[in-house]
């Protein structure tokens, strides 16, 4: 298991100016429409987003349509329909850029499962160390 920052996926054509070079504050997103995945009882994306936005002085405006298909979600983001949460280690796609939030107000938990019959089962500690190192290299800013 590893913990990490959550980020923002937004359109390349959207306000990606100098102030958004590396990080974006949640308050800067008060007027955005948020695109979220279908509701999952084990993962309350809206609740986490609302809790993070409250100290920034707003409640997120969420599209009534929940999008479960990553390609459709990325297409909508690229077209400027809205923004979305993204895992900190997510890679940009055509027309979409990833940004970290200022202060990392949202944290995610990532699980790694290995079947006990897998040849990798005995190497779980090493595998977990490698996954953590790769994740930190992608989304943890030194200092």
């Amino acid at each position: 298991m590893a913990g990490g920052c959550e980020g923002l996926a937004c359109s390349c054509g959207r306000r990606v100016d100098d102030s958004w070079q590396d990080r974006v504050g949640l308050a800067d997103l008060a007027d955005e429409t948020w695109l979220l995945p279908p509701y999952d009882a084990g993962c309350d994306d809206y609740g986490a987003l609302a809790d993070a936005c409250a100290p920034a002085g707003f409640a997120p405006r969420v599209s009534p349509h929940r999008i479960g298909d990553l390609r459709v979600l990325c297409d909508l983001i690229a077209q400027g329909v809205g923004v979305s949460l993204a895992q900190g280690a997510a890679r940009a796609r055509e027309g979409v850029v990833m940004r970290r939030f200022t202060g990392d107000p949202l944290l995610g938990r990532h699980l790694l499962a290995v079947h006990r019959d897998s040849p990798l089962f005995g190497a779980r500690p090493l595998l977990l160390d490698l996954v953590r190192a790769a994740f930190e290299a992608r989304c943890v800013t030194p200092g």
Side-chain angles (χ1 to χ4, degrees):
M1 181 185 332
C5 55
E6 295 299 304
L8 170 76
C10 61
S11 168
C12 288
R14 210 169 197 86
R15 275 186 28 196
V16 184
D17 56 28
D18 290 337
S19 66
W20 283 32
Q21 284 297 324
D22 297 312
R23 292 180 177 258
V24 60
L26 278 172
D28 294 328
L29 303 168
D31 295 328
E32 300 290 341
T33 296
W34 290 84
L35 306 173
L36 296 179
Y39 178 75
D40 177 352
C43 179
D44 184 10
D45 291 311
Y46 177 77
L49 180 61
D51 288 348
C53 292
F58 73 99
R61 184 180 63 229
V62 177
S63 168
H65 307 288
R66 297 294 186 109
I67 300 109
D69 184 303
L70 183 60
R71 288 177 297 189
V72 171
L73 177 63
C74 288
D75 286 347
L76 291 170
I77 292 169
Q79 293 171 28
V81 172
V83 299
S84 186
L85 296 175
Q87 291 182 355
R91 296 192 185 280
R93 297 181 182 242
E94 187 175 340
V96 177
V97 295
M98 304 296 175
R99 293 291 181 260
R100 294 262 310 269
F101 291 117
T102 303
D104 295 326
L106 292 161
L107 297 177
R109 182 175 63 171
H110 305 275
L111 303 176
L112 176 65
V114 179
H115 194 279
R116 79 176 83 247
D117 294 334
S118 168
L120 296 174
F121 188 76
R124 287 185 325 273
L126 173 61
L127 187 57
L128 188 55
D129 287 344
L130 292 170
V131 168
R132 279 188 178 129
F135 186 81
E136 288 175 6
R138 284 276 305 153
C139 75
V140 174
T141 302

